[in-house]
Amino acid sequence: MAHLIVIGGGITGVTSAYVLARQGHQVTLIEKHRYAGMETSHANGGQLSASNAEVWTHPSTLLKGLKWMFKPDAPLLVNPKPSWHKLSWFAEFVASIPKYRSNTVATTRLAIAAREHLFGWAQAEGIDFDLKQQGILHIYRDRAGFEHAGEVSKLLAEGGLPRRAVTPDEMRAIEPTLQGNYFGGYYTESDSTGDIHKFTHGLGQACARLGVTLMTGQTVARVSSTGTSAQVTLADGQVVNADGVVISAGVHSRTLGAQLGDRLNVYPVKGYSITVMLNDEQSQVAAPQVSLLDDETKLVTSRLGVDRFRVAGTAEFNGINHDIRADRIRPLVNWVNQCFPGVSTRRVEPWAGLRPMMPNMMPRVGAGRRANVFYNTGHGHLGWTLSAITAHQLGEQVARWDNLRAAGGMAAPGWRPAGAERRPAARIELT
């Protein structure tokens, strides 16, 4: 079996390492933080949401972006300062609009397929990650949003996901704590929520039990490949050699991919969250149990155990920027005060993370130009939802490559596993 280096200890890197280790490969996982899941996989919205599989490449997204460009608390905010990376990303985003329907259906199928793997791994490894399987309720404040959701539901159904329209009275029966006036909603019973950081940490521990070498607190300076061997040079001068390499480095995958001769137009799209600490009994009773998605404000929620309530969302196009802006956090706190007035927001932990997004909103999974280079990255806002299935797909491609390599049938750089054409979208290929 091959020795593979996985770069990145977020949810996609750890799931990749876990699958490869279970296949019997020797795996070295390199992560710049002391622990797994400390950046974008630390405090996201918590939703495992096939019902949120609609890709953003819809004409309405462009109109909203222009309308909100100079509104600092807008759900979608674009820094008007131009850069070649940003311009090229948006150009490809516009070019992907014709595939909005097919990519939404494909993403739905991926999200549904991911559930079996993720839940199975958690059970097998004894990982407690505050899983709550009470569905997700999408809420709409006007007819236009509700009717658009009806069209999206048709695409989700085509991908295999049933969800049902609910009246305002039914919404309150599903989640009695929700306050406010709404036109209607859509409810997906099969969706769930959980703490991504606790899951990533737990699966990282499982990786160690499987023999994965965890090199934490290590920054990658350079990565290279000859097609038959791979080499990673760390910032402290250490060199790690292996048979192949997997890039799961989030927003940094673009730079590493370029070093390997691959173009990954991943853009860092910042999202914010708050974790409301439910320190008193009144707040615990007043906070929702069912996960929500507010379409107008683009906010999602999850209840994490007894004493935490997570609210997350917004999208900010501002390059590699980890600043936590007060004017972006304030709308999240205000939303809690308005929708759940019985919840105390005296103790709120703000957070920001950079989602690695491809222009077509589909993850980049599979082989690179070099025979022994693989990618599992670019999942955008659905990294938590899709991570288990894309790791499974990655494992299949690595297994084919390793079998051919062991049989002496691997060609020079440029070879790819059968069917692994260089394409931006992950394939639906389940066994």
Side-chain angles (χ1 to χ4, degrees), residues 273-296:
S273 80
I274 58 172
T275 302
V276 182
M277 309 308 293
L278 308 174
N279 292 331
D280 58 86
E281 184 177 353
Q282 177 182 328
S283 294
Q284 293 171 8
V285 171
Q289 296 289 340
V290 173
S291 178
L292 305 171
L293 189 152
D294 186 335
D295 185 70
E296 181 178 312

Side-chain angles (χ1 to χ4, degrees), residues 175 177-179 286-288 292 309 335-343:
E175 182 44 69
T177 64
L178 177 64
Q179 303 296 308
L292 305 171
F309 177 44
W335 185 90
V336 176
N337 292 334
Q338 293 166 6
C339 295
F340 302 97
V343 173

Side-chain angles (χ1 to χ4, degrees), residues 8-11 13-14 29-42 196-205 214-218:
I11 186 64
V14 170
L29 176 66
I30 301 176
E31 163 58 33
K32 66 180 181 180
H33 294 285
R34 288 184 63 192
Y35 311 100
M38 294 302 291
E39 280 202 14
T40 309
S41 299
H42 187 69
I196 186 174
H197 175 71
K198 291 178 71 172
F199 181 88
T200 306
H201 176 71
L203 200 66
Q205 292 179 315
L214 302 177
M215 299 185 67
T216 57
Q218 298 288 349

Side-chain angles (χ1 to χ4, degrees), residues 57-72:
T57 50
H58 190 275
S60 63
T61 306
L62 299 176
L63 297 176
K64 291 174 182 176
L66 292 172
K67 181 178 70 173
W68 290 333
M69 184 171 288
F70 299 105
K71 187 179 178 184

Side-chain angles (χ1 to χ4, degrees), residues 2-154:
H3 176 201
L4 290 128
I5 300 169
V6 177
I7 301 177
I11 186 64
T12 58
V14 170
T15 52
S16 297
Y18 180 74
V19 167
L20 296 173
R22 284 186 55 165
Q23 288 180 342
H25 296 291
Q26 179 186 350
V27 180
T28 299
L29 176 66
I30 301 176
E31 163 58 33
K32 66 180 181 180
H33 294 285
R34 288 184 63 192
Y35 311 100
M38 294 302 291
E39 280 202 14
T40 309
S41 299
H42 187 69
N44 74 351
Q47 291 187 335
L48 293 161
S49 52
S51 61
N52 199 21
E54 180 191 11
V55 296
W56 296 2
T57 50
H58 190 275
S60 63
T61 306
L62 299 176
L63 297 176
K64 291 174 182 176
L66 292 172
K67 181 178 70 173
W68 290 333
M69 184 171 288
F70 299 105
K71 187 179 178 184
D73 60 351
L76 172 62
L77 183 65
V78 180
N79 185 333
K81 183 178 180 180
S83 71
W84 173 248
H85 185 196
K86 189 188 301 179
L87 292 172
S88 68
W89 192 93
F90 275 110
E92 291 184 37
F93 179 93
V94 172
S96 298
I97 288 177
K99 293 185 177 181
Y100 159 80
R101 299 181 64 86
S102 61
N103 283 348
T104 294
V105 173
T107 303
T108 305
R109 291 174 179 157
L110 284 173
I112 294 170
R115 294 169 175 167
E116 178 184 356
H117 297 286
L118 190 142
F119 295 153
W121 298 342
Q123 184 175 10
E125 302 297 346
I127 302 172
D128 176 11
F129 62 104
D130 293 325
L131 174 63
K132 187 175 287 293
Q133 295 176 291
Q134 291 187 222
I136 293 178
L137 175 64
H138 286 59
I139 61 178
Y140 301 92
R141 300 169 189 271
D142 56 41
R143 178 184 293 274
F146 181 79
E147 290 181 347
H148 175 74
E151 295 303 311
V152 173
S153 290
K154 296 176 184 177

